[in-house]
Amino acid sequence: MNFLSIFVLIPLLMLLGLWAARNLNQVRGVMVTGSTALLALSVYLVFAFLDARSLDPQSEMLFVKSIEWFPPLHITYTVGVDGISVAMLLLSAVIVFTGTFASWQLRPLTKEYFLWFTLLSMGVFGFFITIDMFAMFMFYEIALIPMYLLIGVWGSGRKEYSAMKLTLMLMGGSAFLMCGIFGIFYGAGGQTMNIIDIANQTGGAHAIDGNWQMLWFPMTFVGFGILGALFPFHTWSPDGHASAPTAVSMLHAGVLMKLGGYGCFRIAMYLLPEAANELSWIFLILTGISVVYGAFSACVQTDLKYINAYSSVSHCGLVLFAICMATETASVGAILQMLSHGLMTALFFALIGFIYGRTHTRDIRELAGLMKIMPFLAVCYVIAGLANLGLPGLSGFVAEMTIFVGSFENPGTFYTAMTVIACTSIVITAVYILRLVGKILYGTPTNPHHLQLTDATWDERFSVICLILAVAGLGLAPFWVSDMIQTGVHPVIEQLQAAGSLFDSHSNPFL
């Protein structure tokens, strides 16, 4: 068995262990053991990948293994990783590990909660290791389905409404996605669903007729883009985040939304390059709206989770924006932004959950002076805010600068104007982050009950410190990550350039 499949096997064993567990300590033991094993495996994979890449710099995917699954439709279980996959697997493992400790005190139905949480994790890991479109879609659905119960049962606020809205909108995206995937399959000759085989077959992805590409590209991009909070299909995201329990918000915003950007890049842009060249300007406008609209919306919210949720719309919009720019530098920045946002937003949602668990409110009008009451959580919140607004030395700065530098590489007034518009989000983000930090952390506490509150417990401190170290590590030492990512980005950009330069596209009425 290929060792990549262990990323799916471990959650499967965790599910069996949780099912057999008879008390809370056994449940916690299974989760800690499993999440630690996943983190250790992902770290090992990084070193194994870098070593294998140095020996075989030409192979697009490493550690490839294929098993026939359903021969009549040429469906296989094919695993393999490149630099992008390895980075996303490491991110997922970090979020699952820290999310386990963030849920240490969760009640009630702890066992059932972790069962669904683990199933969601299995879908995420499976998605990132597979290079067969059907298997990717299957794991994609496995990751989405548990969200309904995790929010509807263990959530807060309008949890039933939020869970149903999220499920219906993402399932609608899945319908588009299924049409796009089967369109690519039959358009490429109906012989394989392997992404690499389709891209490298005779004639490359251009073997798919250009007119059909114009139909399948919007379906595929929108299908994945809905999960990536593409405007105007983003409305499920703030409600879902606001109602989800802490660790689910961490995994949802930190990893699950990244499936959208990863899918847009890996399938839509890579396998449908002619349509990507012709139609990317449309999605560039939509993603530009997401970036600015999300930041402005965060400015007017009063609920901590809604502020972070709209901030996620803005930052995930920046990922899709960079992908649509289709330069190598911007695309590397998009993957860095996925990593950075995943860590930052997980840290934010963890801290918000810890604060809410003590104050029983997320309304910023009812919070003040938390720096005096819970200094550890308050200082960590400041660090998360500074990372979010792009302070040099933290992950947000590295990712956003790479995106904007790469975006400015595009000649033409339209692309320059869109990049300038997207850059304004930096200022808007600084406004709501600094306003929020000043409002809830400083000043005099307005609620006497808050004076009796305690600071973070050991499990909360451990979870938060791990995320802060990851955010600072990516910000201070980004080059090994960006170099690893670039090996995965390069083939996609080559495919797009071979189909015709995005900059010379005559379908863009703004050029």
Side-chain angles (χ1 to χ4, degrees):
M1 180 182 67
N2 186 289
F3 84 95
L4 291 178
S5 297
I6 300 175
F7 279 104
V8 175
L9 181 62
I10 291 176
L12 189 59
L13 294 175
M14 290 169 67
L15 289 173
L16 294 174
L18 289 168
W19 175 75
R22 291 294 175 261
N23 57 56
L24 181 59
N25 286 335
Q26 291 179 2
V27 169
R28 288 173 171 174
V30 170
M31 288 304 301
V32 171
T33 303
S35 60
T36 303
L38 285 167
L39 182 59
L41 182 63
S42 65
V43 173
Y44 167 76
L45 176 61
V46 171
F47 288 101
F49 176 82
L50 293 174
D51 185 52
R53 175 59 69 198
S54 66
L55 298 175
D56 184 12
Q58 302 303 319
S59 295
E60 192 169 335
M61 288 282 173
L62 298 177
F63 311 123
V64 176
K65 178 73 173 179
S66 184
I67 300 172
E68 273 196 336
W69 203 352
F70 189 65
L73 283 180
H74 305 281
I75 294 172
T76 62
Y77 172 71
T78 307
V79 297
V81 291
D82 62 2
I84 302 172
S85 310
V86 172
M88 300 313 297
L89 287 166
L90 180 60
L91 170 67
S92 304
V94 170
I95 303 301
V96 170
F97 179 75
T98 54
T100 296
F101 288 94
S103 304
W104 203 254
Q105 308 295 335
L106 183 133
R107 303 287 192 284
L109 300 174
T110 308
K111 174 179 173 178
E112 290 79 3
Y113 167 84
F114 278 124
L115 278 166
W116 289 110
F117 182 81
T118 303
L119 183 63
L120 192 160
S121 305
M122 184 173 73
V124 168
F125 284 112
F127 182 86
F128 287 129
I129 65 171
T130 54
I131 53 177
D132 180 271
M133 290 191 296
F134 186 87
M136 285 181 73
F137 182 78
M138 183 195 73
F139 283 116
Y140 179 89
E141 292 301 308
I142 290 174
L144 295 186
I145 291 170
M147 287 299 299
Y148 177 80
L149 288 171
L150 286 168
I151 294 175
V153 176
W154 289 276
S156 58
R158 296 195 302 168
K159 56 185 182 180
E160 291 88 358
Y161 165 80
S162 299
M164 184 59 71
K165 182 177 183 180
L166 177 148
T167 303
L168 290 177
M169 291 198 70
L170 295 186
M171 287 299 173
S174 296
F176 280 109
L177 191 53
M178 181 176 286
C179 293
I181 286 174
F182 280 104
I184 293 170
F185 171 63
Y186 287 109
Q191 296 301 309
T192 180
M193 286 203 178
N194 186 301
I195 296 170
I196 307 303
D197 289 347
I198 292 175
N200 295 332
Q201 63 182 290
T202 304
H206 315 301
I208 304 175
D209 182 75
N211 292 326
W212 285 113
Q213 287 194 37
M214 299 293 281
L215 175 61
W216 307 131
F217 178 80
M219 286 189 175
T220 308
F221 199 97
V222 169
F224 279 119
I226 290 175
L227 186 55
L230 174 69
F231 181 88
F233 309 106
H234 67 283
T235 56
W236 62 269
S237 180
D239 291 324
H241 285 143
S243 298
T246 300
V248 176
S249 291
M250 292 169 64
L251 193 60
H252 184 193
V255 179
L256 197 62
M257 291 179 74
K258 307 305 174 289
L259 270 60
Y262 181 91
C264 286
F265 188 70
R266 178 74 78 201
I267 295 181
M269 301 294 287
Y270 191 27
L271 301 185
L272 303 167
E274 292 181 29
N277 285 332
E278 294 295 314
L279 301 178
S280 283
W281 68 270
I282 299 173
F283 292 101
L284 201 59
I285 294 173
L286 295 178
T287 55
I289 293 172
S290 292
V291 172
V292 179
Y293 164 79
F296 271 122
S297 297
C299 288
V300 299
Q301 302 300 317
T302 57
D303 184 298
L304 284 173
K305 273 200 169 183
Y306 271 103
I307 292 172
N308 198 35
Y310 277 106
S311 175
S312 292
V313 171
S314 177
H315 284 91
C316 287
L318 204 54
V319 171
L320 298 179
F321 179 86
I323 289 172
C324 289
M325 278 294 179
T327 68
E328 191 161 328
T329 305
S331 297
V332 170
I335 311 303
L336 286 173
Q337 177 71 355
M338 288 189 205
L339 298 174
S340 172
H341 176 259
L343 296 169
M344 289 188 309
T345 199
L347 177 58
F348 257 128
F349 276 121
L351 292 168
I352 291 168
F354 300 155
I355 292 171
Y356 175 71
R358 290 163 169 77
T359 62
H360 303 294
T361 181
R362 297 194 304 257
D363 193 327
I364 62 174
R365 295 166 296 187
E366 300 175 10
L367 296 171
L370 296 184
M371 185 66 78
K372 299 176 183 177
I373 301 166
M374 44 190 82
F376 178 84
L377 291 177
V379 169
C380 292
Y381 198 93
V382 171
I383 294 172
L386 293 176
N388 207 13
L389 60 81
L391 183 74
L394 298 174
S395 61
F397 175 78
V398 173
E400 292 182 11
M401 281 301 297
T402 308
I403 287 174
F404 293 134
V405 169
S407 298
F408 274 117
E409 290 177 358
N410 279 340
T413 305
F414 170 72
Y415 297 103
T416 302
M418 290 304 302
T419 305
V420 170
I421 291 171
C423 284
T424 61
S425 66
I426 300 174
V427 180
I428 305 168
T429 300
V431 169
Y432 68 76
I433 290 294
L434 296 176
R435 164 179 164 266
L436 179 61
V437 167
K439 175 70 180 69
I440 70 171
L441 301 185
Y442 299 98
T444 304
T446 55
N447 189 332
H449 167 68
H450 292 174
L451 295 172
Q452 310 302 319
L453 299 178
T454 59
D455 208 348
T457 58
W458 74 266
D459 46 288
E460 294 169 341
R461 289 173 187 261
F462 182 72
S463 176
V464 166
I465 288 172
C466 288
L467 289 170
I468 289 176
L469 290 176
V471 167
L474 182 58
L476 294 172
F479 293 110
W480 70 272
V481 183
S482 62
D483 290 345
M484 184 174 70
I485 290 169
Q486 195 160 13
T487 63
V489 166
H490 187 68
V492 181
I493 300 303
E494 279 191 330
Q495 193 83 306
L496 287 165
Q497 291 174 345
S501 174
L502 177 68
F503 319 137
D504 297 330
S505 174
H506 298 298
S507 67
N508 188 336
F510 296 98
L511 292 177

